[in-house]
C-alpha cells in the first residue's frame, strides 16, 4: 500500500470556450508489462487493494468533481486509453462511458475512442463498445513478425491483430486504427512491409507507426545496456519510416501528423486536439490535463488515486501554469508536426528568418501562410523545431 497522499489544490481554471474540449480516461491495468513500455500501468500483482470495480467507482468520483470544477462544458472527443481498456470487458467499459455521460454533455458528433489489445478484444467487446457509444477503436498491432512480437513482449499471436480489426469493422465501427512499432532489434525491412500490408488489407482507415524508443527503466533498456539487444539505429529508423510512408500513401492513406496516416475522414480528432491547441481533462491515475493555461497531472499509483478521491479531493500530484514563452514553444513543437502546417503568425521575426533557411534547406515548404514539413523534414522534425526556436 502506498503512503498517505496530501491533496494539491489547483488554481482557478479558465476554460477557453473557443477551442475543442476532450476527456481522456486512463485505464491503468495490464495483464503483463511489455518490455518497451514506460506508461503508468500495473499488473494484478502490483496493485494491492485496487481492482477494476473499485477503480470504476473512484473514476466516476473524479469525473463528477471535474464537471463541477469546469461547469460542464460540451465534450467533442473522448479517448479511453491505457494500459489495456479491453481488459475491463464489455460491462465495465460501458460503465466508464456512462460515468462520462452522467457528468458531461457530448456533442452530437462526438468522437469516442477506446484502445484495445488484440488478445483481450473479441466480437462481444466490440459490440458492447459500439452499443455504449464508441465510434472508434484503436488496436495495438505492433508487428506480424513473431520474433518482433517476442522482443517486444507482446502476448498476442501474429494474426490476431488483423482478425480483431476485421471483427471491429464487422460490428459496425467505421473508424478502426492499427498501431505499428518499427525499429525493433532483429526486425527486417520485409517484417515492416508485411506488417503494414496486413494492416492495409484489413480495411481499416487509420494507421499509426512509431519508432521504437528505448525508455530508461524498462526491461528493454536493461537488455540494450547489457548488450543482449542492439540499440535502434537512426538511419534504419528513417529508412523504415520511408518504407511505411510509401506503402501507406500508395494505398490511399495520407499523413496528417508525422506518425499518423488515415484515409479521408479517418483522422483521430482527439489526438488532433492535443497537437492543435485543444484542452482536455485527463481522468485516472497518472493522467495529464490541460485547461486554459494550466497543466496538471494526477498521482500515479491507483491506491493513492483512490485514497484522495475517497476523501473528496481531486487526485492532483502537481500542476504548472504555462507562461507565454512556454506556450509558444509548445505551439511550434506540436503544430509543426501536422500536415496542415504551422501558421507563420505564430513565429517571431527571428524565427521566421530561421524558417526561411529551413525552406531553402528543403526541410519546410510554404502552403499559403503556413509552413509544412517536407518528406525529408518529417525525418528530422525534432531538429527543425530546435532550429526554429533557436
Amino acid at each position: 500500500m502506498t503512503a498517505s497522499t496530501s491533496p494539491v489544490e489547483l488554481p482557478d481554471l479558465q476554460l477557453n470556450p473557443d477551442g475543442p474540449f476532450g476527456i481522456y480516461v486512463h485505464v491503468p491495468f495490464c495483464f503483463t508489462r511489455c518490455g518497451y513500455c514506460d506508461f503508468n500501468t500495473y499488473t494484478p500483482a502490483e496493485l494491492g487493494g485496487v481492482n477494476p470495480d473499485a477503480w470504476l467507482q473512484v473514476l466516476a468520483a473524479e469525473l463528477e468533481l471535474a464537471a463541477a470544477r469546469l461547469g460542464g462544458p460540451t465534450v467533442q472527443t473522448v479517448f479511453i486509453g491505457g494500459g489495456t481498456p479491453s481488459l475491463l470487458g464489455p460491462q465495465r467499459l460501458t460503465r466508464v462511458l456512462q460515468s462520462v455521460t452522467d457528468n458531461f454533455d457530448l456533442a452530437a458528433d462526438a468522437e469516442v475512442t477506446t484502445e484495445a489489445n488484440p488478445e483481450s478484444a473479441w466480437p462481444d467487446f466490440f459490440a458492447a463498445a459500439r452499443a455504449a457509444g464508441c465510434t472508434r477503436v484503436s488496436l495495438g498491432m505492433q508487428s506480424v513478425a513473431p520474433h518482433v512480437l517476442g522482443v517486444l513482449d507482446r502476448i498476442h499471436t501474429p494474426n490476431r491483430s488483423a482478425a480483431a480489426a476485421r471483427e471491429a469493422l464487422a460490428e459496425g465501427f467505421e473508424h478502426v486504427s492499427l498501431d505499428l512499432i518499427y525499429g525493433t532489434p532483429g526486425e527486417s525491412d520485409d517484417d515492416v512491409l508485411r506488417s503494414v500490408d496486413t494492416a492495409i488489407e484489413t480495411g481499416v482507415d487509420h494507421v499509426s507507426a512509431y519508432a521504437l524508443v528505448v525508455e530508461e527503466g524498462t526491461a528493454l533498456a536493461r537488455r540494450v545496456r547489457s548488450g543482449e539487444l542492439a540499440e535502434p539505429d537512426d538511419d534504419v529508423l528513417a529508412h523504415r519510416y520511408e518504407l511505411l510512408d510509401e506503402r501507406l500513401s500508395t494505398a490511399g492513406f495520407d499523413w496528417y501528423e508525422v506518425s499518423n496516416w488515415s484515409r479521408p475522414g479517418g483522422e483521430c480528432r482527439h489526438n488532433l486536439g492535443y497537437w492543435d491547441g485543444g484542452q482536455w481533462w485527463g481522468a485516472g491515475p497518472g493522467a495529464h490535463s490541460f485547461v486554459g493555461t494550466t497543466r496538471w497531472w494526477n498521482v500515479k499509483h491507483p491506491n493513492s488515486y483512490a485514497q484522495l478521491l475517497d476523501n473528496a479531493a481531486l487526485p492532483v500530484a502537481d500542476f504548472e501554469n504555462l507562461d507565454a514563452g512556454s506556450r509558444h514553444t509548445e505551439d511550434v513543437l506540436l503544430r509543426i508536426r501536422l500536415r496542415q502546417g504551422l501558421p507563420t503568425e505564430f513565429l517571431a521575426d527571428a524565427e521566421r528568418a530561421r524558417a526561411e533557411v529551413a525552406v531553402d534547406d528543403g526541410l519546410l515548404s510554404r502552403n499559403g501562410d503556413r509552413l509544412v514539413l517536407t518528406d525529408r523534414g518529417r525525418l528530422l522534425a525534432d531538429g527543425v523545431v530546435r532550429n526554429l526556436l533557436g
Side-chain angles (χ1 to χ4, degrees), residues 70-346:
L70 296 177
T74 299
V75 175
Q76 280 80 38
T77 63
V78 178
F79 196 105
I80 304 168
T84 311
S86 47
L87 273 182
L88 295 174
Q91 293 182 342
R92 293 192 187 101
L93 180 72
T94 300
R95 287 176 60 191
V96 170
L97 288 171
Q98 187 64 51
S99 293
V100 174
T101 56
D102 281 347
N103 292 287
F104 290 90
D105 292 328
L106 266 61
D109 63 344
E111 175 194 84
V112 182
T113 303
T114 183
E115 290 185 332
N117 275 8
E119 74 279 1
S120 56
W122 301 90
D124 63 334
F125 176 84
F126 296 126
R130 192 77 186 93
C134 286
T135 65
R136 189 174 178 278
V137 172
S138 180
L139 287 156
M141 181 180 192
Q142 280 68 50
S143 177
V144 298
H147 60 282
V148 173
L149 294 174
V151 172
L152 296 174
D153 296 319
R154 299 294 292 189
I155 61 176
H156 62 80
T157 59
N159 296 326
R160 178 58 204 152
S161 299
R166 292 188 178 100
E167 289 164 3
L169 290 166
E171 291 297 336
F173 279 96
E174 293 182 28
H175 303 300
V176 179
S177 177
L178 286 168
D179 292 355
L180 300 175
I181 290 177
Y182 60 93
T184 302
E187 174 192 75
S188 67
D189 286 355
D190 185 59
D191 293 330
V192 172
L193 291 173
R194 286 191 297 113
S195 297
V196 70
D197 286 345
T198 299
I200 292 167
E201 289 162 5
T202 63
V204 301
D205 67 345
H206 190 285
V207 173
S208 299
Y210 303 103
L212 180 66
V213 176
V214 180
E215 302 284 2
E216 282 302 317
T218 63
L220 178 65
R222 292 190 288 272
R223 295 176 72 186
V224 169
R225 190 165 52 247
S226 71
E228 179 186 351
L229 296 174
E231 181 92 25
D233 181 86
D234 287 344
D235 291 336
V236 171
L237 293 175
H239 175 60
R240 299 267 162 81
Y241 181 91
E242 290 173 328
L243 291 177
L244 287 159
D245 183 55
E246 180 181 9
R247 213 59 149 214
L248 287 164
S249 298
T250 300
F253 288 76
D254 288 325
W255 76 277
Y256 70 95
E257 191 274 340
V258 169
S259 298
N260 291 273
W261 293 257
S262 74
R263 300 186 190 276
E267 300 88 350
C268 177
R269 288 165 48 201
H270 185 85
N271 286 343
L272 278 170
Y274 295 149
W275 298 313
D276 202 22
Q279 302 167 103
W280 68 94
W281 188 290
H288 285 230
S289 304
F290 179 69
V291 172
T293 60
T294 304
R295 176 186 290 113
W296 70 95
W297 45 98
N298 286 349
V299 295
K300 285 190 170 185
H301 200 282
N303 289 328
S304 300
Y305 173 79
Q307 182 183 68
L308 285 165
L309 284 161
D310 284 344
N311 291 314
L314 283 171
V316 177
D318 208 349
F319 69 90
E320 60 180 342
N321 283 314
L322 300 186
D323 59 22
S326 298
R327 191 74 180 122
H328 172 73
T329 297
E330 291 201 355
D331 278 335
V332 173
L333 175 68
L334 297 173
R335 293 175 192 257
I336 197 69
R337 296 180 63 86
L338 295 172
R339 177 76 176 248
Q340 68 194 40
L342 173 71
T344 53
E345 67 186 39
F346 279 74

Side-chain angles (χ1 to χ4, degrees), residues 351-364 366 387:
E351 292 166 338
R352 291 181 189 180
R354 290 191 285 269
E356 291 302 318
V357 174
V359 170
D360 292 341
D361 289 343
L363 299 173
L364 291 173
R366 296 185 193 86
N387 289 338

Side-chain angles (χ1 to χ4, degrees), residues 7-46:
V8 173
E9 290 295 327
L10 283 177
D12 289 339
L13 300 176
Q14 302 298 322
L15 186 71
N16 176 5
D18 298 325
F21 178 75
I23 290 177
Y24 171 77
V25 175
H26 184 71
V27 180
F29 310 112
C30 280
F31 184 70
T32 61
R33 184 179 299 281
C34 298
Y36 63 92
C37 180
D38 72 338
F39 291 173
N40 188 46
T41 62
Y42 301 84
T43 63
E46 297 170 326

